[in-house]
Amino acid sequence: MNEYAIETKNLKISYGDNEVIKGVDLKVLKNVVFALMGPSGCGKSTMLRAFNRLLELNKDAVVEGEVLLFGENIYSPDIDPIEVRRDVGMVFQYPNPFPHLTIYDNVAIGLKLNKLAKNKRELDERVRWALEKAALWDEVKDRMGDYPSDLSGGQKQRLVVARALAMKPKVLLMDEPTANIDPVGTKKIEELLFELKEDYTIILVTHSPAQAARVSDCVGFLYLGELIEVGSTKDIFEKPKNELTEQYVTGELV
Amino acid sequence: MAQKISEKVSEILGKIKTCMGFQKKGNKVDSFKLITSPAVLFVLALFAGMLIVYFYNAMPAFNREGLSVYLKDVWRAVENPSEEYYGLASAIWGSIYTSMIAILVALPLSIAYSIFVVDYAPKRIKNTLIITSDVMAGLPTIIYGIWGAFVLVPFLKDYVMTPLHRYLSFIPIFSYPPITGFSYFSAGILLGIMVTPFASAIIREAYQMTPFAYREAAFSVGMTRYEATKVMLGYIKPAMFSGVILAFGRAIGETVAVSLVIGNTFNLSANLFAPGYTISSLIANQFGNAFIYSHMLPVLYAAGLALFFIGLLVNSAGLYLLRRWEKNVSI
């Protein structure tokens, strides 16, 4: 088995003539929380969406180069993007559970459609397992048939985490998962990251250096489509090699 | 004295203005509001006036026959006024029956059309498609009527109704022999085609409004395009429902085109291929006779009143549901 969960080779992404990721080489170890940080509009979210081929929903986006998932190029022609997305879960910037599905169905839908559970009992167990993993089970176990509209922002986001975990992915992508929830919810999500990295590789996009410092093991600093510096969180925050990185982590570069 | 009166008058006028919202206390008169508000009042007055006129003119029919004018299936227009009897049941049935057929035709067409326009159509032809369907929604209905009578009905008769009747006539709804082709079925299909652009406009707008975040969510858990589309359609279900209701409201009020293809016969039958009447085609066809027979006009007013209420109910329900859904579209 490959030691890297995600590896990119000269990854370039452009929308029409506008190149937003300009040739990135990145290696992400297994079972770590990797924070991809950088100011708004530097291409973090775009790059993240290349890791599960979700970028293809946007017809203008063009991806060049390679993205290896445990050593396998997910952009090779014989790979089905749907298979990739089953292995790479995603949590979004806005908590987006399906509002017209019940809490139970929100978690179960991927399993149902991909026929990952043999029977109702197995489905129930998997849903419960995912909700427990997402630290939401105790709060929703008595109202699985309710719609998610009554949940708080933080709870919704953990429901989305459960929806992703239910598929038993290998990698979990998180696109600024705490950008739109309150501090208590943020804390819970951050605590969750520590637990989840036992089993998963987590790539966390954040525009907050403070959050990256709090939760990550390794950090990559992305600026204007270029990967400026990568290293362990300790190194990046204590002795950054690049001047831009230093400016960013000290809050001078916005 | 004169000054006192004029002061009093301006005080009263001021009060009126304040209570009607033209002038906030101590502020200047909002003259634009003052100019435009008669239009609103006019619309409301017209609405109320229409209702009153219909009620008033339908009263003789209610006095003579009671509410059974809506429940009986008779149409006895004879020269001796004491033997005249009218019942609107077959026309009401025809209206509802044909409109339901129309919905069954329009709903799948509109959904398919909306999905194609939003998800699949290349940008270049997307706008052309949207404009075309919007134009079709606004075409004068007589255009559909002529086309329906001379093209659609013969086609349906030869290639749909006759084979269905030949092989499946043991099923009651296919048992009536399609001799002319003018029937509930033809009217329903034509209405379905006519309201499709209208229903698809509502469904298309709703489908386009589904937040991108939900699409991403659907694909992110490994859904295929088909599965993701199904989930998104589930999300816009309330909008589809109101689209259907509003399309039903359109279909039930449609007059000219239906009159040309339904066969205009008093009939209360579930037989798809039987000719019939709808409320509006009945009014249009019997309007001339109402001057000859003494008790017919109030009955036509009563028919109009029924249509009025059905339309009011259906349209307000549809609009209400649509507004409520639109308000909830957010993350």
Side-chain angles (χ1 to χ4, degrees):
Chain A
M1 195 87 168
N2 205 294
E3 64 177 313
Y4 297 113
I6 293 261
E7 192 179 345
T8 70
K9 287 181 179 165
N10 196 23
L11 179 66
K12 289 181 184 167
I13 303 170
S14 48
Y15 296 110
D17 296 334
N18 182 17
E19 195 174 58
V20 282
I21 296 294
K22 299 164 181 166
V24 166
D25 292 293
L26 173 71
K27 286 174 178 162
V28 179
L29 284 166
K30 276 192 291 188
N31 295 75
V32 297
V33 174
F34 180 90
L36 192 60
M37 64 177 189
S40 302
C42 70
K44 306 182 297 288
S45 296
T46 299
M47 192 158 116
L48 197 69
R49 280 165 173 72
F51 297 165
N52 62 350
R53 294 189 61 170
L54 202 59
L55 208 55
E56 283 158 42
L57 298 190
N58 186 328
K59 286 171 193 158
D60 300 329
V62 180
V63 179
E64 289 170 75
E66 288 182 10
V67 176
L68 308 182
L69 179 67
F70 296 99
E72 194 175 17
N73 182 13
I74 59 170
Y75 281 92
S76 84
D78 56 328
I79 297 273
D80 183 356
I82 289 158
E83 298 288 338
V84 173
R85 291 177 200 137
R86 284 175 198 165
D87 283 343
V88 184
M90 187 153 185
V91 176
F92 300 84
Q93 192 171 355
Y94 289 92
N96 60 356
F98 299 113
H100 63 297
L101 299 182
T102 61
I103 292 175
Y104 180 92
D105 280 338
N106 259 289
V107 182
I109 187 151
L111 300 170
K112 276 187 189 168
L113 292 174
N114 292 308
K115 302 196 174 52
L116 294 178
K118 281 194 218 71
N119 50 44
K120 178 83 170 84
R121 206 174 58 95
E122 204 179 302
L123 189 66
D124 287 350
E125 277 171 12
R126 192 79 167 267
V127 168
R128 178 178 176 156
W129 172 86
L131 284 167
E132 278 173 348
K133 274 271 172 196
L136 188 63
W137 172 252
D138 288 335
E139 290 158 63
V140 299
K141 64 182 173 197
D142 298 324
R143 45 175 175 153
M144 298 291 275
D146 290 359
Y147 291 91
S149 53
D150 293 336
L151 299 178
S152 73
Q155 285 173 324
K156 280 183 190 163
Q157 195 62 299
R158 276 178 284 145
L159 182 59
V160 172
V161 173
R163 177 176 71 193
L165 292 181
M167 307 285 295
K168 297 213 166 159
K170 295 173 185 144
V171 175
L172 191 59
L173 308 176
M174 301 182 112
D175 184 10
E176 302 195 30
T178 60
N180 293 288
I181 55 185
D182 60 76
V184 178
T186 300
K187 191 157 177 281
K188 283 201 169 168
I189 296 272
E190 289 182 358
E191 283 165 3
L192 198 54
L193 294 178
F194 283 104
E195 313 236 328
L196 291 177
K197 75 177 176 190
E198 305 275 317
D199 303 308
Y200 308 92
T201 305
I202 295 164
I203 301 184
L204 171 79
V205 157
T206 176
H207 63 245
S208 149
Q211 186 175 52
R214 277 199 302 275
V215 302
S216 69
D217 305 300
C218 306
V219 179
F221 173 54
L222 196 67
Y223 188 65
L224 300 177
E226 285 176 67
L227 193 63
I228 306 294
E229 196 171 344
V230 188
S232 75
T233 306
K234 197 163 181 285
D235 288 348
I236 294 280
F237 280 90
E238 285 174 9
K239 40 182 193 285
K241 296 189 190 80
N242 189 292
E243 205 176 315
L244 277 169
T245 315
E246 188 173 352
Q247 284 177 8
Y248 183 72
V249 298
T250 53
E252 285 165 37
L253 185 76
V254 184
Chain B
M1 186 65 188
Q3 202 186 352
K4 255 193 177 169
I5 290 172
S6 78
E7 263 173 27
K8 197 79 190 161
V9 166
S10 68
E11 191 190 316
I12 291 169
L13 273 178
K15 269 185 189 162
I16 292 172
K17 283 174 187 166
T18 315
C19 82
M20 288 188 71
F22 296 139
Q23 187 185 34
K24 287 182 188 143
K25 267 181 191 154
N27 285 348
K28 277 178 78 181
V29 173
D30 184 346
S31 51
F32 188 66
K33 200 170 181 179
L34 199 65
I35 295 165
T36 51
S37 47
V40 178
L41 294 177
F42 178 71
V43 169
L44 289 176
L46 199 65
F47 182 83
M50 206 116 94
L51 206 55
I52 290 166
V53 165
Y54 266 86
F55 252 123
Y56 180 77
N57 286 300
M59 263 338 261
F62 293 139
N63 286 335
R64 193 160 172 267
E65 305 193 38
L67 277 179
S68 70
V69 70
Y70 290 130
L71 304 172
K72 279 184 307 185
D73 178 29
V74 285
W75 197 267
R76 204 182 314 146
V78 288
E79 279 177 28
N80 182 354
S82 64
E83 286 178 19
E84 274 184 61
Y85 272 104
Y86 303 104
L88 295 164
S90 61
I92 293 174
W93 162 251
S95 284
I96 294 173
Y97 196 33
T98 52
S99 300
M100 286 195 332
I101 299 169
I103 294 306
L104 291 180
V105 173
L107 185 63
L109 278 178
S110 318
I111 293 175
Y113 185 80
S114 305
I115 292 171
F116 179 78
V117 167
V118 175
D119 282 349
Y120 293 93
K123 268 184 191 151
R124 280 172 286 117
I125 66 164
K126 192 172 180 166
N127 271 329
T128 320
L129 285 173
I130 290 176
I131 292 169
T132 310
S133 77
D134 286 353
V135 166
M136 286 186 66
L139 279 185
T141 54
I142 185 71
I143 292 175
Y144 287 95
I146 298 279
W147 174 79
F150 293 111
V151 181
L152 183 68
V153 169
F155 173 84
L156 288 176
K157 189 189 135 204
D158 293 345
Y159 297 104
V160 181
M161 297 156 88
T162 306
L164 279 175
H165 175 67
R166 185 172 300 149
Y167 299 111
L168 297 172
S169 62
F170 58 88
I171 301 173
I173 54 169
F174 299 138
S175 60
Y176 193 93
I179 299 160
T180 58
F182 295 105
S183 59
Y184 294 121
F185 182 72
S186 303
I189 300 283
L190 180 62
L191 279 173
I193 293 169
M194 289 173 70
V195 299
T196 293
F198 177 74
S200 77
I202 294 170
I203 295 174
R204 182 189 74 218
E205 288 292 323
Y207 191 58
Q208 207 147 23
M209 272 166 74
T210 57
F212 188 62
Y214 293 145
R215 280 168 198 262
E216 282 196 308
F219 282 101
S220 80
V221 288
M223 285 191 208
T224 60
R225 204 158 173 173
Y226 169 72
E227 291 162 348
T229 304
K230 238 170 59 177
V231 170
M232 290 303 106
L233 288 180
Y235 175 65
I236 64 162
K237 211 188 259 167
M240 290 203 291
F241 188 60
S242 57
V244 162
I245 293 178
L246 291 171
F248 185 88
R250 284 235 152 172
I252 212 160
E254 175 45 38
T255 308
V256 179
V258 172
S259 304
L260 292 180
V261 299
I262 196 166
N264 301 316
T265 308
F266 289 101
N267 211 344
L268 204 163
S269 161
N271 257 309
L272 279 175
F273 306 150
Y277 252 134
T278 64
I279 301 174
S280 41
S281 67
L282 173 85
I283 298 174
N285 274 286
Q286 298 291 332
F287 173 71
N289 295 336
F291 296 103
I292 305 169
Y293 302 102
S294 15
H295 295 300
M296 195 188 277
L297 189 61
V299 175
L300 294 187
Y301 268 109
L305 200 62
L307 204 55
F308 197 112
F309 274 111
I310 295 174
L312 193 67
L313 206 73
V314 165
N315 284 311
S316 28
L319 285 173
Y320 170 73
L321 289 172
L322 192 62
R323 292 281 140 76
R324 200 177 62 172
W325 181 80
E326 279 174 353
K327 228 188 273 172
N328 288 337
V329 181
S330 61
I331 300 178

